[in-house]
Amino acid sequence: MRTSSLYSLFGLLGLAESADKRDRDNRIPGYVLEYAPVVYLHSSEKFWPCDIAEHLEHVTPELNYTPMVSASTNYNLTNLDELNEFSNGRFVYLTSDDNVEARPDWLGGEKNIPEDPEELYERTASQGRPQRPLGTNDASQIHGGRSDAPAVLVVIDKGHGVLDAFWFFFYSYNLGNLVFNIRFGNHVGDWEHTLVRFIDGKPEYVFVSEHFFGEAYTYSAIEKVGKRPVVYSAIGTHAMYATPGTHPYVLPLGLLHDETDRGPLWDPALNSLTYRYNHTSDVLVASNLTPQAPTEWFFFNGHWGDKLYPIDDSRQYEFVGQYHY
């Protein structure tokens, strides 16, 4: 999903209570990790999960297709919010330094393919440090491989016993789908997410993002590995679904569709930047699990990839309002 920022997603959240000591409560309840989702990536995927910090090393902020005066600044996760000084950041695009059609390695993220969970455990155990999920010493809770690209966990206490755990996944490139063998919707910078909603400490609902929409399920209805919800990431677009198979959207007769299958299984709890966010006081703090995680990047209001390519760009084409890039 092409999106401006994670921060903008939280403006719609309700069930507000007055700001209080939750502002400084950085603890992640154990049940959040106990019921963390696991993600099946597609077996033929070419654009894997990516590290947002590495992504920033390969882009330059632009306004109106022009590199910004301050582009010489080394923007990273600790100062990305400074770009909000320019038009509140809304028209800033983090533009690829490389021609995306050359498919540079950082765009594909192949090195971030999750490692097979059995191989991961055997390798790390032989080194005397068996890899376990964040916040637990129970190796049996490993239900997927570790990716070197950290996921992002944001936990929000909504009050009244409701707690939302947002799991965000970043990909440096979105490969659009084909319609009549013509590809539309390629873009740099792709955020997807899954939400697990807890009521009084128990998982009740799971939401998966799909392009500009999504679907919600009861926890009891969704597939699970042990206690953990299973979600599927579509090849290329990384839209998220609750089942493997073909998923038509927007156009009739299945002309436009996503595909999911049981490729590499990713356990995001093995490597994540974790936060608590108070949506009423607008306070974000790094959690007790990753206390050194930077927070400034979260408030960047701009776009994590290239602006729509001009029609005179040789890589661009348009048909009935739909664009290649």
Side-chain angles (χ1 to χ4, degrees), residues 123-134:
R123 178 175 60 80
T124 55
S126 68
Q127 298 169 349
R129 49 179 184 83
Q131 182 67 60
R132 299 184 174 95
L134 287 167

Side-chain angles (χ1 to χ4, degrees), residues 142-164:
I142 296 179
H143 293 300
R146 180 190 187 277
S147 172
D148 284 341
V152 175
L153 168 63
V154 181
V155 171
I156 305 175
D157 182 352
K158 301 296 224 22
H160 311 287
V162 177
L163 184 139
D164 286 344

Side-chain angles (χ1 to χ4, degrees), residues 14-271:
L15 293 174
E17 285 188 344
S18 59
D20 54 24
K21 64 181 180 181
R22 287 180 293 148
D23 284 359
R24 297 303 167 189
D25 182 3
N26 71 341
R27 294 168 295 176
I28 301 293
Y31 58 77
V32 170
L33 297 178
E34 184 179 357
Y35 295 98
V38 291
V39 183
Y40 273 114
L41 303 169
H42 198 279
S43 58
S44 298
E45 184 62 73
K46 301 298 182 184
F47 299 97
W48 303 93
C50 291
D51 184 339
I52 56 175
E54 182 180 2
H55 182 82
L56 294 179
E57 296 173 2
H58 298 280
V59 297
T60 296
E62 290 190 356
L63 274 173
N64 196 27
Y65 302 106
T66 303
M68 296 166 61
V69 174
S70 60
S72 59
T73 302
N74 178 27
Y75 287 105
N76 54 57
L77 298 182
T78 66
N79 64 0
L80 194 63
D81 60 328
E82 293 178 8
L83 289 170
N84 292 342
E85 297 175 7
F86 304 90
S87 301
N88 198 33
R90 292 192 306 139
F91 304 108
V92 176
Y93 289 81
L94 302 180
T95 304
S96 171
D97 294 332
D98 300 296
N99 178 1
V100 296
E101 296 202 334
R103 299 295 191 257
D105 290 344
W106 66 271
L107 210 62
E110 185 175 356
K111 66 181 181 179
N112 300 319
I113 298 175
E115 186 175 0
D116 178 86
E118 292 186 6
E119 294 179 1
L120 170 69
Y121 184 75
E122 290 177 1
R123 178 175 60 80
T124 55
S126 68
Q127 298 169 349
R129 49 179 184 83
Q131 182 67 60
R132 299 184 174 95
L134 287 167
T136 179
N137 290 318
D138 184 359
S140 68
Q141 289 192 37
I142 296 179
H143 293 300
R146 180 190 187 277
S147 172
D148 284 341
V152 175
L153 168 63
V154 181
V155 171
I156 305 175
D157 182 352
K158 301 296 224 22
H160 311 287
V162 177
L163 184 139
D164 286 344
F166 285 85
W167 291 89
F168 291 96
F169 315 110
F170 181 76
Y171 306 81
S172 284
Y173 193 71
N174 178 105
L175 184 68
N177 280 319
L178 296 170
V179 179
F180 295 124
N181 210 34
I182 303 174
R183 193 175 300 280
F184 296 97
N186 294 351
H187 60 85
V188 175
D190 184 24
W191 283 103
E192 306 292 342
H193 73 278
T194 291
L195 162 71
V196 181
R197 169 163 286 187
F198 298 89
I199 300 178
D200 296 328
K202 297 180 180 180
E204 296 290 347
Y205 303 100
V206 177
F207 174 85
V208 291
S209 64
E210 301 163 5
H211 303 286
F212 294 103
F213 37 91
E215 293 183 309
Y217 299 84
T218 61
Y219 170 78
S220 61
I222 205 162
E223 179 184 349
K224 288 173 279 292
V225 174
K227 298 178 179 180
R228 299 178 64 180
V230 173
V231 295
Y232 293 81
S233 174
I235 184 172
T237 69
H238 313 119
M240 310 203 75
Y241 296 91
T243 58
T246 301
H247 308 275
Y249 65 99
V250 180
L251 297 182
L253 304 177
L255 293 175
L256 182 63
H257 62 268
D258 284 317
E259 296 180 7
T260 57
D261 72 6
R262 291 185 172 92
L265 183 61
W266 177 19
D267 184 350
L270 292 173
N271 182 21

